[in-house]
Amino acid sequence: MTEAAFWDKIAEKYASDPIENLEGYHKTRDMIVDRLKPEHRVLELGCGTGSTALEIAKHVQDYLATDLSPKMIEIANAKRDAETPEHLRFAVADGAGLPDFSPDVVLALNLIHLVPNADAMIQKIFDRLPQGGLFIAKTACLRDGPWYLAVMIPLMRLIGKAPHVSIFSQVELTDRLQKAGFVIDETLLQKGTAPRLFTIARKP
C-alpha cells in the first residue's frame, strides 16, 4: 500500500477523531500566529483535512496547503465556507518534493517523522526559503517515548495498520535542522506516549 493510499483509507476517521491534545494544539497554533505577518506567503506541507490552514490563513497574504492524500484534500475543500479566505488553496502534492511556490514560512505539523527521507525534505525547505524565512514544525520524537514503540510501529506497518514512521529523538531532530542550516528560535515539548517537539527554525 502506498503512503497516499494509506492516508486516503483513514481520511474519514482522521477527520472525525477529536484532537488528542486540544490545549497543546491551541498553544502551538497561537505561537504560529504570533510569528506570522500580513505580507507572508505560507506553504503548509501535510495539511491533512485543513483544520490549521482554515484557522490561520486569514493572518497572511497567501496560503497554499498541500497533502499527498487526495481524500484529505477533498475533505479540506469541503470545509470551506463564506468566511474562508480566497487566497487559501488546497492541493494534492508530495511534501517531500515541494510544490512550485515561493514561501516566507513553511509549516510541517506532525509530518517530519512520516517522511521516508526527512533530511532531504528539511534541506529542500531550507533551500526554498528566503533569508529570514521560517520553518515551523511539530514532530513526534518516538525515541523519547516508551521503548516498545520502535518495535510495534514497524510491525503495524507490515500489516497495513501504520504509515512509514521514522524513529528519532528531540536531540536528533534538532541536529537535523541545524545541519541543514537552520537556527532554532523557539521550541516547545509536548509530552505524551509519543512526545512531540514544536520548533520554530529560521534561515539566517
Side-chain angles (χ1 to χ4, degrees):
M1 182 184 300
T2 65
E3 294 298 303
F6 173 84
W7 291 107
D8 276 349
K9 181 180 177 181
I10 70 164
E12 294 286 356
K13 182 178 186 302
Y14 180 91
S16 63
D17 283 347
I19 295 174
E20 182 178 344
N21 179 356
L22 189 59
E23 181 180 353
Y25 170 78
H26 288 156
K27 172 68 174 177
T28 53
R29 178 203 59 195
D30 292 346
M31 290 175 71
I32 293 169
V33 171
D34 285 345
R35 298 299 294 264
L36 297 178
K37 297 178 181 179
E39 67 271 20
H40 274 160
R41 289 164 53 85
V42 176
L43 170 61
E44 184 180 354
L45 304 174
C47 71
T49 58
S51 297
T52 300
L54 289 161
E55 288 197 37
I56 69 177
K58 63 185 177 183
H59 297 284
V60 298
Q61 175 183 319
D62 198 5
Y63 199 116
L64 175 61
T66 70
D67 199 279
L68 58 72
S69 164
K71 185 63 177 177
M72 292 282 193
I73 294 300
E74 178 185 325
I75 294 171
N77 274 315
K79 292 181 179 180
R80 304 180 72 98
D81 58 27
E83 296 183 2
T84 302
E86 290 186 5
H87 64 255
L88 170 59
R89 290 160 291 143
F90 292 108
V92 178
D94 181 354
L98 299 191
D100 184 15
F101 186 79
S102 298
D104 302 295
V105 180
V106 174
L107 303 181
L109 306 175
N110 299 304
L111 177 67
I112 296 177
H113 57 287
L114 300 176
V115 175
N117 193 337
D119 289 330
M121 186 191 77
I122 292 169
Q123 191 62 60
K124 287 178 182 177
I125 291 169
F126 180 87
D127 294 341
R128 181 70 61 88
L129 284 168
Q131 185 177 14
L134 299 177
F135 178 35
I136 303 177
K138 185 187 289 188
T139 310
C141 297
L142 299 177
R143 200 178 303 282
D144 296 325
W147 64 269
Y148 56 79
L149 290 178
V151 177
M152 181 178 68
I153 291 174
L155 292 176
M156 292 177 64
R157 179 168 171 76
L158 281 175
I159 60 173
K161 297 296 184 180
H164 168 88
V165 180
S166 296
I167 310 292
F168 44 76
S169 67
Q170 302 164 52
V171 172
E172 290 168 335
L173 173 61
T174 300
D175 285 347
R176 288 168 185 252
L177 292 169
Q178 292 174 331
K179 182 180 178 181
F182 284 110
V183 173
I184 309 297
D185 281 352
E186 292 184 69
T187 63
L188 174 68
L189 178 64
Q190 296 186 327
K191 297 181 179 179
T193 302
R196 296 178 188 271
L197 185 65
F198 178 78
T199 54
I200 300 179
R202 174 174 43 84
K203 181 174 179 175

